[in-house]
Amino acid sequence: MKAELGNFIGRLQPGWVVECSTDRYGVTVGWCVLETADDLLPFGAAVKEAGGRLSTITAYQPKDPDAAVREIAYHFDMDGDTLTATVRLPRRGAEIDSLTPLFRNADWNEREFMELYDIRVRNHPDPRRLFVDATVDSAILDRLIPFSAMVNSASTKTLWERIMVKTGDKQ
């Protein structure tokens, strides 16, 4: 494990437990499930202070459309090691603090959350939409076609199946 990830783990707040594994090539991967969404901003600040950088953010939804919880995974680079922090949010009406003030590259991902999912990103410096026209309800794609299905190239099939169910056609 490289110094940055080790130093970071040594300064964690209570409740922030990072599990790590190192493969035979010396690549260390760490992961942590934050207890609450309110832990995200201080966790991000601790990563930045330890010399880490944000690689990307992954928002995904459960396969069960009636699930009450969704997750967001924040992937950080700590001098070549990867640290992932997962935050569980309510499926509907979720709110999370913006990491854009700490990591400028969080901007695009956070704007996607607001546009595609029912996630409000608090204190985002530029909450404008990226693609979907402002006249369309927010999170419309989340309700019509789950983004996880769309990125897995299943949107055509998923949309067709929903149309078939709504029209009563069994083809």
Side-chain angles (χ1 to χ4, degrees):
M1 180 180 338
K2 294 185 183 71
E4 283 78 2
L5 186 53
N7 290 337
F8 175 74
I9 292 171
R11 294 193 311 254
L12 293 177
Q13 292 184 14
W16 295 353
V17 178
V18 175
E19 301 284 333
C20 291
S21 67
T22 303
D23 68 15
R24 64 184 177 163
Y25 301 106
V27 176
T28 300
V29 177
W31 58 95
C32 175
V33 177
L34 298 176
E35 290 183 353
T36 70
D38 292 336
D39 287 334
L40 178 63
L41 203 51
F43 188 88
V47 168
K48 183 170 180 126
E49 183 180 315
R53 66 181 184 85
L54 179 68
S55 299
T56 191
I57 308 170
T58 308
Y60 44 96
Q61 52 195 162
K63 292 185 182 208
D64 177 4
D66 297 323
V69 177
R70 74 165 71 242
E71 293 181 343
I72 300 179
Y74 293 82
H75 310 283
F76 300 96
D77 174 75
M78 305 290 284
D79 192 32
D81 292 332
T82 299
L83 172 63
T84 298
T86 303
V87 179
R88 292 186 176 106
L89 300 172
R91 179 72 182 268
R92 302 285 181 238
E95 292 190 7
I96 192 84
D97 287 316
S98 175
L99 284 187
T100 300
L102 294 172
F103 302 100
R104 185 69 183 129
N105 62 320
D107 174 71
W108 190 275
N109 295 115
E110 292 176 346
R111 287 170 66 190
E112 283 181 330
F113 299 164
M114 292 185 279
E115 186 171 315
L116 300 176
Y117 296 111
D118 187 19
I119 299 174
R120 182 178 166 282
V121 180
R122 294 184 295 250
N123 301 314
H124 191 280
D126 184 14
R128 289 176 299 134
R129 292 201 174 173
L130 295 168
F131 306 110
V132 179
D133 188 88
T135 61
V136 176
D137 290 340
S138 64
I140 193 75
L141 296 177
D142 193 18
R143 290 190 299 276
L144 295 179
I145 304 171
F147 185 66
S148 57
M150 196 178 310
V151 297
N152 287 323
S153 301
S155 60
T156 303
K157 181 177 184 273
T158 302
L159 182 58
W160 184 252
E161 288 171 351
R162 287 187 179 191
I163 291 169
M164 294 293 100
V165 167
K166 288 187 181 207
T167 61
D169 192 340
K170 303 221 189 256
Q171 289 184 352

